[in-house]
Amino acid sequence: MAAAPPSCCLVAFPPCAKDGLVVFGKNSARPRDEVQEVVYFPAADHEPESKVECTYISIDQVPKTHAIVLSRPAWLWGAEMGANEHGVCIANEAVNAREPAAGTEALLGMDLVRLGLERGSTAKEAFDVIVALLEEHGQGGSYYEDAGSCHSFQSAYLIVDRDEAWVLETVGKYWAAEKVTEGVKCICNQLSLTTKIDAEHPELRSYAQSQGWWTGEDEFNFSEVFSPADDHLHCCAGKDSLEKQEESITVQTMIDILRDKASGVCVDSETFLTTASAVSVLPQSRSSPCIHYFTGTPDPSRSIFKPFIFVDDVKLVPKTQSPCFGDDDPAKREPRFQEKPDRRHELYKAHEWARVVIASGQEQGRKLRKTMLELEKQGLEAMEEILASPGPLDPAEVGDLFYDCVDTEIKFFK
């Protein structure tokens, strides 16, 4: 069984997080050469009986989809992480389970991230969307752009809004979930739910019994029953880091944790790299906007987190969007992935130079990283002012926010 990529998703609730904010973070560990893009889709109305084409299959479309912003591998339809206009954030983890994931093409876990965001206006609504679609269409297909072999995994999700989070872990169409409203929570590339289960597939336990994985006499422990025999549950390094912060977790804390290579939260191995990162701040006060920070580039320790706020007239950012190959895309043609096109977007190309310079360890690299962190700090401070402001947000001030930050970063690298 192939190793699941070691991504990490985290959430902290007040009072562990400061100032009445829910703070969410995700590092997306993927194959080293994969490009992630940051894309925005406005809310939309759809014709009756229309279909939506996901990565591998088409499913029925709903009458209305919410505005969403996604960080996604550039070859697929879904997303590794993202947010919607209602302050819902979802991140996905590939996990291995006792039952191998289906290689048959169905919905990817990443498709379900996007579908949950498009269709759910609360964390619970998004959760309900995902489990209903899982029951109807199943999950399966390759997680990587690789013609050589099919890399399929089961999926876990962290689904968060201003009030609560749901940890949803799936094995085929079966699932278990835990509701979280306080403290900190982390999910990694292993099943983590144990005996605290707040919702589950109606046939989950009978299925486990039918497979001989649970006798029905012991207390039901989801990860013990469904994890592979060689998967020894270890505490997520990100959770350790969050718990050490006690009641002082901020956006900066979450960014620092995502940058930490020593703990293993930030992945840089022969096989995998943290190819993109995101942090979201969800104020529990409805009068304040949710703010979402994306890198759009690999390795958060050498990237800038840039803010995005949902307003009616968000300016599109083509510089973080990969080239579109339409129906000629090797990911859409069958047999799939016979070639690998150059999917680098303009920000990714500009940032490649910075990564090389910083990795050199020379004085130029140290200066460059310091200037990048100063640029990021300016953005963070400006967002703190918005959150602290008693008045309503002026949409005209932030419609170009992410666009301007990306533009400034590219000019800086050039």
Side-chain angles (χ1 to χ4, degrees):
M1 196 179 287
S7 297
C8 183
C9 312
L10 307 145
V11 67
F13 284 88
C16 294
K18 283 179 73 175
D19 304 327
L21 304 173
V22 178
V23 186
F24 166 91
K26 160 87 191 258
N27 265 357
S28 172
R30 299 283 301 169
R32 289 191 66 89
D33 61 347
E34 188 178 78
V35 176
Q36 260 189 65
E37 58 180 356
V38 178
V39 285
Y40 166 78
F41 297 96
D45 296 309
H46 304 281
E47 294 293 323
E49 297 182 27
S50 60
K51 297 280 187 183
V52 55
E53 192 178 316
C54 303
T55 302
Y56 296 129
I57 65 167
S58 293
I59 65 169
D60 292 337
Q61 184 56 285
V62 290
K64 182 173 177 58
T65 50
H66 306 309
I68 56 171
V69 62
L70 308 174
S71 183
R72 67 176 186 183
W75 62 271
L76 53 74
W77 180 85
E80 275 280 285
M81 58 265 200
N84 72 19
E85 61 185 305
H86 300 290
V88 179
C89 299
I90 309 180
N92 160 262
E93 291 283 339
V95 293
N96 283 320
R98 209 165 195 167
E99 180 173 294
T104 313
E105 291 186 349
L107 290 173
L108 282 178
M110 292 173 279
D111 292 338
L112 288 161
V113 170
R114 177 169 175 177
L115 290 161
L117 291 170
E118 287 187 336
R119 301 177 181 199
S121 60
T122 65
K124 182 60 169 63
E125 273 185 23
F127 163 85
D128 290 338
V129 164
I130 290 172
V131 297
L133 290 170
L134 194 58
E135 180 74 30
E136 187 177 355
H137 301 286
Q139 59 179 321
S142 185
Y143 264 60
Y144 303 152
E145 189 181 17
D146 180 4
S149 59
C150 177
H151 304 268
S152 57
F153 300 99
Q154 309 290 6
S155 300
Y157 306 86
L158 186 58
I159 309 166
V160 182
D161 64 20
R162 295 175 190 254
D163 301 310
E164 64 187 29
W166 285 87
V167 175
L168 169 62
E169 299 188 342
T170 69
V171 178
K173 70 172 185 176
Y174 301 99
W175 54 269
E178 178 187 354
K179 181 179 174 179
V180 182
T181 56
E182 59 184 19
V184 300
K185 196 74 185 176
C186 173
I187 66 168
C188 311
N189 62 341
Q190 294 180 326
L191 297 175
S192 66
L193 297 179
T194 55
T195 56
K196 183 184 181 297
I197 296 172
D198 296 309
E200 64 186 73
H201 188 283
E203 294 160 21
L204 176 71
R205 297 183 193 217
S206 58
Y207 178 69
Q209 279 184 284
S210 73
Q211 298 298 305
W213 298 337
W214 182 55
T215 62
E217 293 167 12
D218 308 329
E219 185 176 25
F220 185 78
N221 181 314
F222 180 77
S223 58
E224 275 186 13
V225 170
F226 283 98
S227 291
D230 59 352
D231 217 2
H232 302 294
L233 190 69
H234 63 271
C235 188
C236 174
K239 187 168 187 281
D240 289 347
S241 303
L242 276 181
E243 284 175 342
K244 285 175 192 164
Q245 302 295 329
E246 295 177 331
E247 296 187 0
S248 60
I249 295 164
T250 61
V251 181
Q252 188 64 62
T253 315
M254 189 65 82
I255 288 173
D256 291 344
I257 289 169
L258 295 182
R259 284 182 167 144
D260 186 3
K261 288 187 175 173
S263 70
V265 173
C266 181
V267 176
D268 189 352
S269 69
E270 283 184 22
T271 317
F272 298 115
L273 179 68
T274 298
T275 54
S277 304
V279 170
S280 290
V281 186
L282 315 174
Q284 291 191 307
S285 163
R286 296 297 192 275
S287 60
S288 295
C290 297
I291 303 175
H292 312 282
Y293 299 85
F294 295 93
T295 59
T297 53
D299 190 345
S301 70
R302 296 165 185 169
S303 290
I304 299 174
F305 284 81
K306 298 164 282 293
F308 174 97
I309 297 176
F310 282 95
V311 289
D312 285 343
D313 293 312
V314 170
K315 189 171 183 179
L316 298 177
V317 186
K319 291 173 183 177
T320 61
Q321 287 179 265
S322 295
C324 179
F325 300 97
D327 291 338
D328 287 333
D329 196 311
K332 292 185 178 177
R333 291 200 312 260
E334 295 193 48
R336 300 191 198 276
F337 313 129
Q338 298 305 297
E339 322 159 32
K340 246 186 185 174
D342 184 355
R343 300 189 187 274
R344 294 174 302 159
H345 47 74
E346 194 173 335
L347 176 63
Y348 188 100
K349 288 178 180 176
H351 179 259
E352 279 181 313
W353 167 80
R355 280 168 62 203
V356 171
V357 172
I358 293 169
S360 71
Q362 303 295 315
E363 182 62 23
Q364 185 192 9
R366 285 189 286 274
K367 281 184 179 174
L368 175 61
R369 186 168 187 275
K370 188 180 174 201
T371 311
M372 287 169 70
L373 292 176
E374 283 168 4
L375 267 179
E376 179 182 272
K377 187 167 178 251
Q378 289 170 19
L380 290 170
E381 286 171 353
M383 294 307 101
E384 280 174 17
E385 284 177 21
I386 285 175
L387 290 175
S389 169
L393 180 72
D394 178 3
E397 281 186 18
V398 296
D400 297 357
L401 179 64
F402 190 69
Y403 181 96
D404 289 343
C405 291
V406 169
D407 208 43
T408 302
E409 183 176 349
I410 290 172
K411 284 175 181 166
F412 165 67
F413 290 144
K414 285 182 175 175

